[in-house]
Amino acid sequence: MNYREAHSLPPVTLDDVRGAQKMLSGVARVTAMEGSRHLTRLVGAPVHFKCENLQRTGSFKLRGAYVRIAGLLPEERAAGVVAASAGNHAQGVALASSLLGVRSTVFMPQGAPLPKISATRHYGAEVRLHGHVVDETLAAAQEYAEATGAVFIHPFDHPDIIAGQGTVGLEILEQCPEVRTIVVGIGGGGLAAGVAVAVKALRPDVRIVGVQAAGAAAYPPSLAAGRPVSIENPATMADGIKVGRPGDVPFGIIDELVDEVRTVTEDELSTGLLLCLEQAKLVVEPAGASPVAAVLSDPGSFEGPVVALLSGGNVDPLLMQRVLTHGLAAQGRYLAVRLRLTDRPGALATLLGVLSVVDANVLDVSHVRTDPRLGLTEAEVELHLETKGPAHCAEVGQALRDAGYTVIG
């Protein structure tokens, strides 16, 4: 007996997903499937991107939210709906509610990015800012539901949500019938569970690989324990998959149908996002880039054709700037060094001349002269450099040492 059966959780079937697909006709886009030449070379077989970052509201979340709200009874619709989210689910619920003529209230953390708050309001929801972490926001939304009778729309732990997300799996099989491996990011598990239900029912030979951020990976210990396990203080830039506990309904499905769950580091997430932007010309948020990060980290372990599901593209511009810098550094294309030199006229020009010879592009220079660690005639200089890769970084470091500089960081 599997977890779902043992806990009497409602099943999600292929018929449910097909019913959701009919319901979403004319509402959700059939998003594009794009090939990746770079990943295809690495894997040695075709690799495609399923571009849910190009979905309405910028992520797959509209699918499940619409199916869930459309299935409400008339008296439930009249009471309105409420949700809690830092971004993608908020926008999905807001647009789905507007399309169905249902009043929606969305609680968001006080630190949520302004573009996501603005977009949620634009789609028609009343936005209330509460708490500094999603758990506080979630509690406020549930209190609101109890006080007002509004229906709480969970982001992943409901059969209708899972059925809606599973329509992505049907599209993948239609667009790439020869697929052998599907790679999908996992937060609470709604998307991976829905895709697994649809794909395994029609193509049980297709391998489904889930991906979590290493700093917010609740599924590996949960799968090992045979039940959902909470992790404390999940931490990752990929807020779309930063969930501390798997949902009960998706966990039972993932435990049964998903072949493997892997984790990726923050460096790997940054590199995956950078590849999407630079090679595929696709804006993808860190959570959406997690399947790409997994393929990049171990390309030889994936049997092709491979479909990497880009789940969303709602990335805050300020976060994008930081992630790109992080990704460039991870690829050896951005180098920060600190060194000491004699504080005299012409010393900085001499240093920049050394860097010019090895073709390192100086992006920023900062001086420190008053630190008590420094000698009377010393200055500390921090340089941010644009480089051409790990080999070039090593060449720059060697050139500085050969010129007599001590690199201290």
Side-chain angles (χ1 to χ4, degrees), residues 160-209:
D160 289 348
I161 295 286
I162 293 170
Q165 321 305 28
T167 59
V168 180
L170 294 181
E171 290 179 17
I172 289 173
L173 294 183
E174 292 165 1
Q175 294 171 309
C176 185
E178 68 279 12
V179 63
R180 297 292 301 165
T181 306
I182 296 174
V183 193
V184 54
I186 299 181
L191 177 61
V195 169
V197 166
V199 171
K200 289 293 189 178
L202 296 169
R203 287 280 308 281
D205 59 305
V206 173
R207 183 171 180 80
I208 298 178
V209 178

Side-chain angles (χ1 to χ4, degrees), residues 5-324:
E5 294 168 340
H7 292 78
S8 301
L9 298 176
V12 181
T13 67
L14 176 62
D15 285 343
D16 294 329
V17 180
R18 283 175 165 161
Q21 188 177 45
K22 292 179 181 178
M23 191 179 295
L24 288 167
S25 177
V27 175
R29 294 172 180 151
V30 177
T31 51
M33 184 83 76
E34 299 286 347
S36 170
R37 290 193 297 271
H38 182 74
L39 290 182
T40 293
R41 287 194 299 271
L42 293 178
V43 172
V47 178
H48 306 280
F49 294 152
K50 174 60 172 169
C51 300
E52 280 296 287
N53 58 310
L54 303 179
Q55 184 57 262
R56 296 178 72 179
T57 75
S59 89
F60 70 96
K61 289 287 191 177
L62 171 65
R63 297 173 184 263
Y66 188 91
V67 172
R68 173 76 173 100
I69 297 168
L72 296 177
L73 299 172
E75 57 269 26
E76 292 175 318
R77 291 195 188 193
V81 299
V82 60
S85 168
N88 289 345
H89 181 59
Q91 293 173 64
V93 168
L95 179 57
S97 299
S98 293
L99 293 173
L100 291 164
V102 176
R103 185 179 70 258
S104 64
T105 303
V106 175
F107 284 78
M108 303 182 76
Q110 291 180 3
L114 292 177
K116 293 186 177 183
I117 295 172
S118 176
T120 303
R121 286 180 172 142
H122 174 75
Y123 289 128
E126 177 190 348
V127 174
R128 299 192 179 190
L129 302 179
H130 184 91
H132 295 281
V133 296
V134 174
D135 286 345
E136 295 173 351
T137 307
L138 183 63
Q142 291 171 327
E143 289 173 5
Y144 178 89
E146 293 172 2
T148 65
V151 178
F152 179 67
I153 306 299
H154 199 283
F156 49 82
D157 206 9
H158 192 280
D160 289 348
I161 295 286
I162 293 170
Q165 321 305 28
T167 59
V168 180
L170 294 181
E171 290 179 17
I172 289 173
L173 294 183
E174 292 165 1
Q175 294 171 309
C176 185
E178 68 279 12
V179 63
R180 297 292 301 165
T181 306
I182 296 174
V183 193
V184 54
I186 299 181
L191 177 61
V195 169
V197 166
V199 171
K200 289 293 189 178
L202 296 169
R203 287 280 308 281
D205 59 305
V206 173
R207 183 171 180 80
I208 298 178
V209 178
V211 183
Q212 291 209 287
Y219 265 89
S222 297
L223 292 170
R227 58 181 175 79
V229 172
S230 297
I231 60 171
E232 294 184 3
N233 303 317
T236 175
M237 71 176 80
D239 58 352
I241 53 175
K242 187 171 71 173
V243 177
R245 182 187 184 278
D248 289 319
V249 181
F251 176 82
I253 297 170
I254 288 172
D255 187 31
E256 180 182 355
L257 298 179
V258 171
D259 297 285
E260 180 186 1
V261 176
R262 301 186 178 193
T263 63
V264 291
T265 66
E266 299 299 283
D267 280 353
E268 289 166 342
L269 284 168
S270 298
T271 302
L273 187 150
L274 186 61
L275 181 141
C276 290
L277 184 64
E278 195 170 39
Q279 300 283 343
K281 316 306 178 190
L282 292 169
V283 175
V284 180
E285 62 191 90
S290 59
V292 180
V295 176
L296 277 171
S297 67
D298 190 10
S301 66
F302 292 89
E303 181 184 0
V306 177
V307 173
L309 206 171
L310 310 182
S311 58
N314 292 319
V315 58
D316 178 51
L318 294 176
L319 175 62
M320 173 69 87
Q321 183 180 28
R322 294 196 299 270
V323 170
L324 289 178

